[in-house]
Amino acid sequence: MTERLAQLRYDELPPEARPLADDILKVSSAALGGPYNALLRSPEMARRAFDFLDYLRFRTSVNKRLNEFAILIQARISNAQFEWWAHEPIARKAGLSDAVMRDLQQCQRPSSMQEDERQVYDFCIQLSLNHRVSDALWQEAVSSMGEQAVVDLTVLSGTYVMVSMLLNATQVGIPGGGAEPLEVLSPLEIRQRLLA
């Protein structure tokens, strides 16, 4: 897979985009790569997206382990190789087990989830694959997480659909030509496996 956008270098950026690039470089494990390489081609939109992502990644009311789990769920649903590659080590550091990540990576419902992980999985899978959640699942999530966290989780899920689309559309590869971590599956097969 050939990346569709040449990697921008800091010294190639227009002066008005450099403060944003400086902010990106403070938090990005991929420097100006990954989704930022595409976003920086639209600096005003990139600034707004960065600020939004900053909240969803670092200031959200959702527990970090669960937040990263939700991001990996979106990566798996979307076959988003770079997104999985970038967030797997972050999820591990946040306390998500390798067993849960391996099952999800294989496009299987994780068999060893903790109760809060099961709830996030069910919520994100239902929301992403059915574009809605049942009243019972909504009530369960609100009762255990609170309204703010459920709203934050919902917005995180939708936002990482956008990030996945951006990465896939621009064909962002794994740095250094590394192996892709996900088997590319059709949307129908993903749906069947993850809803099983």
Side-chain angles (χ1 to χ4, degrees):
M1 180 167 66
T2 303
E3 294 198 24
R4 290 181 168 153
L5 297 173
Q7 179 60 55
L8 292 173
R9 293 192 337 253
Y10 185 88
D11 59 359
E12 296 173 329
L13 296 173
E16 63 273 13
R18 289 185 183 174
L20 171 58
D22 292 336
D23 289 344
I24 291 168
L25 291 169
K26 291 175 190 171
V27 300
S28 173
S29 59
L32 299 179
Y36 300 115
N37 187 46
L39 288 170
L40 282 164
R41 283 160 163 82
S42 180
E44 183 176 348
M45 189 265 299
R47 168 48 75 187
R48 293 167 192 251
F50 177 81
D51 291 341
F52 194 46
L53 288 166
D54 181 67
Y55 172 80
L56 292 171
R57 292 268 324 280
F58 304 112
R59 304 175 202 293
T60 180
S61 62
V62 178
N63 168 287
K64 181 76 169 167
R65 172 178 47 89
L66 300 176
N67 212 53
E68 289 299 323
F69 186 33
I71 293 170
L72 289 178
I73 290 168
Q74 293 308 326
R76 176 60 272 182
I77 289 171
S78 301
N79 294 309
Q81 306 292 349
F82 183 90
E83 188 168 305
W84 184 281
W85 173 87
H87 284 274
E88 181 181 1
I90 299 168
R92 183 175 293 112
K93 186 175 179 183
L96 189 64
S97 76
D98 283 336
V100 167
M101 288 189 283
R102 287 299 73 80
D103 283 350
L104 182 60
Q105 185 179 29
Q106 297 303 314
C107 205
Q108 299 169 4
R109 180 185 179 87
S111 60
S112 61
M113 291 183 282
Q114 297 176 41
E115 179 57 23
D116 57 356
E117 293 166 353
R118 184 220 35 97
Q119 197 169 79
V120 165
Y121 179 88
D122 289 345
F123 189 91
C124 291
I125 291 295
Q126 290 296 318
L127 181 63
S128 299
L129 299 179
N130 295 332
H131 304 288
R132 63 190 71 245
V133 296
S134 68
D135 287 342
L137 186 54
W138 176 266
Q139 286 303 89
E140 179 187 3
V142 168
S143 293
S144 65
M145 298 174 69
E147 289 180 341
Q148 181 181 352
V150 173
V151 169
D152 284 359
L153 180 63
T154 301
V155 173
L156 174 83
S157 293
T159 301
Y160 273 85
V161 169
M162 178 273 295
V163 173
S164 294
M165 286 182 173
L166 182 63
L167 292 166
N168 288 346
T170 59
Q171 296 185 354
V172 174
I174 305 303
E180 293 183 340
L182 300 172
E183 177 186 4
V184 176
L185 301 168
S186 73
L188 180 58
E189 186 168 1
I190 290 169
R191 180 180 181 78
Q192 290 171 338
R193 287 178 162 193
L194 293 180
L195 286 172

PDB file of all heavy atoms in Angstrom, residues 17 60 89 98 117 172 177 193-194:
ATOM      1  N   ALA A  17       1.066  27.520  10.487  1.00  0.00           N
ATOM      2  CA  ALA A  17       0.799  26.141  10.900  1.00  0.00           C
ATOM      3  C   ALA A  17       1.825  25.625  11.909  1.00  0.00           C
ATOM      4  O   ALA A  17       1.614  24.593  12.541  1.00  0.00           O
ATOM      5  CB  ALA A  17       0.766  25.219   9.685  1.00  0.00           C
ATOM      6  N   THR A  60     -10.755  13.607  28.869  1.00  0.00           N
ATOM      7  CA  THR A  60     -12.074  12.995  28.905  1.00  0.00           C
ATOM      8  C   THR A  60     -12.438  12.481  30.300  1.00  0.00           C
ATOM      9  O   THR A  60     -11.555  12.212  31.116  1.00  0.00           O
ATOM     10  CB  THR A  60     -12.148  11.822  27.898  1.00  0.00           C
ATOM     11  OG1 THR A  60     -13.432  11.245  27.940  1.00  0.00           O
ATOM     12  CG2 THR A  60     -11.107  10.766  28.195  1.00  0.00           C
ATOM     13  N   PRO A  89       0.148   0.061  22.125  1.00  0.00           N
ATOM     14  CA  PRO A  89       1.046   0.255  23.277  1.00  0.00           C
ATOM     15  C   PRO A  89       0.491   1.232  24.319  1.00  0.00           C
ATOM     16  O   PRO A  89       0.740   1.079  25.517  1.00  0.00           O
ATOM     17  CB  PRO A  89       2.347   0.777  22.659  1.00  0.00           C
ATOM     18  CG  PRO A  89       2.027   1.165  21.263  1.00  0.00           C
ATOM     19  CD  PRO A  89       0.767   0.454  20.866  1.00  0.00           C
ATOM     20  N   ASP A  98      -3.301  -7.891  27.373  1.00  0.00           N
ATOM     21  CA  ASP A  98      -2.925  -8.426  26.064  1.00  0.00           C
ATOM     22  C   ASP A  98      -3.966  -9.421  25.563  1.00  0.00           C
ATOM     23  O   ASP A  98      -4.225  -9.488  24.369  1.00  0.00           O
ATOM     24  CB  ASP A  98      -1.553  -9.102  26.138  1.00  0.00           C
ATOM     25  CG  ASP A  98      -0.414  -8.090  26.164  1.00  0.00           C
ATOM     26  OD1 ASP A  98      -0.598  -6.960  25.695  1.00  0.00           O
ATOM     27  OD2 ASP A  98       0.678  -8.446  26.661  1.00  0.00           O
ATOM     28  N   GLU A 117     -15.070  -3.234  30.876  1.00  0.00           N
ATOM     29  CA  GLU A 117     -14.651  -3.420  29.489  1.00  0.00           C
ATOM     30  C   GLU A 117     -15.780  -4.038  28.660  1.00  0.00           C
ATOM     31  O   GLU A 117     -15.995  -3.645  27.512  1.00  0.00           O
ATOM     32  CB  GLU A 117     -13.398  -4.301  29.432  1.00  0.00           C
ATOM     33  CG  GLU A 117     -12.182  -3.637  30.045  1.00  0.00           C
ATOM     34  CD  GLU A 117     -11.022  -4.564  30.308  1.00  0.00           C
ATOM     35  OE1 GLU A 117     -11.165  -5.801  30.146  1.00  0.00           O
ATOM     36  OE2 GLU A 117      -9.963  -4.058  30.700  1.00  0.00           O
ATOM     37  N   VAL A 172      -2.179   5.559   5.171  1.00  0.00           N
ATOM     38  CA  VAL A 172      -1.036   5.738   6.066  1.00  0.00           C
ATOM     39  C   VAL A 172      -0.507   4.360   6.458  1.00  0.00           C
ATOM     40  O   VAL A 172      -1.256   3.517   6.957  1.00  0.00           O
ATOM     41  CB  VAL A 172      -1.434   6.545   7.313  1.00  0.00           C
ATOM     42  CG1 VAL A 172      -0.290   6.606   8.319  1.00  0.00           C
ATOM     43  CG2 VAL A 172      -1.851   7.952   6.900  1.00  0.00           C
ATOM     44  N   GLY A 177       7.987   0.730   7.489  1.00  0.00           N
ATOM     45  CA  GLY A 177       7.550  -0.406   6.687  1.00  0.00           C
ATOM     46  C   GLY A 177       7.202  -1.632   7.518  1.00  0.00           C
ATOM     47  O   GLY A 177       7.211  -2.749   7.004  1.00  0.00           O
ATOM     48  N   ARG A 193     -18.524 -11.264  13.037  1.00  0.00           N
ATOM     49  CA  ARG A 193     -17.626 -11.747  14.085  1.00  0.00           C
ATOM     50  C   ARG A 193     -17.791 -10.969  15.387  1.00  0.00           C
ATOM     51  O   ARG A 193     -17.817 -11.547  16.464  1.00  0.00           O
ATOM     52  CB  ARG A 193     -16.179 -11.654  13.624  1.00  0.00           C
ATOM     53  CG  ARG A 193     -15.771 -12.675  12.606  1.00  0.00           C
ATOM     54  CD  ARG A 193     -14.338 -12.416  12.223  1.00  0.00           C
ATOM     55  NE  ARG A 193     -13.703 -13.537  11.578  1.00  0.00           N
ATOM     56  CZ  ARG A 193     -12.397 -13.620  11.396  1.00  0.00           C
ATOM     57  NH1 ARG A 193     -11.605 -12.643  11.822  1.00  0.00           N
ATOM     58  NH2 ARG A 193     -11.867 -14.639  10.785  1.00  0.00           N
ATOM     59  N   LEU A 194     -17.844  -9.654  15.289  1.00  0.00           N
ATOM     60  CA  LEU A 194     -17.867  -8.839  16.512  1.00  0.00           C
ATOM     61  C   LEU A 194     -19.222  -8.828  17.200  1.00  0.00           C
ATOM     62  O   LEU A 194     -19.304  -8.550  18.392  1.00  0.00           O
ATOM     63  CB  LEU A 194     -17.408  -7.413  16.213  1.00  0.00           C
ATOM     64  CG  LEU A 194     -15.935  -7.287  15.803  1.00  0.00           C
ATOM     65  CD1 LEU A 194     -15.581  -5.841  15.520  1.00  0.00           C
ATOM     66  CD2 LEU A 194     -14.990  -7.877  16.847  1.00  0.00           C
TER      67      LEU A 194
END
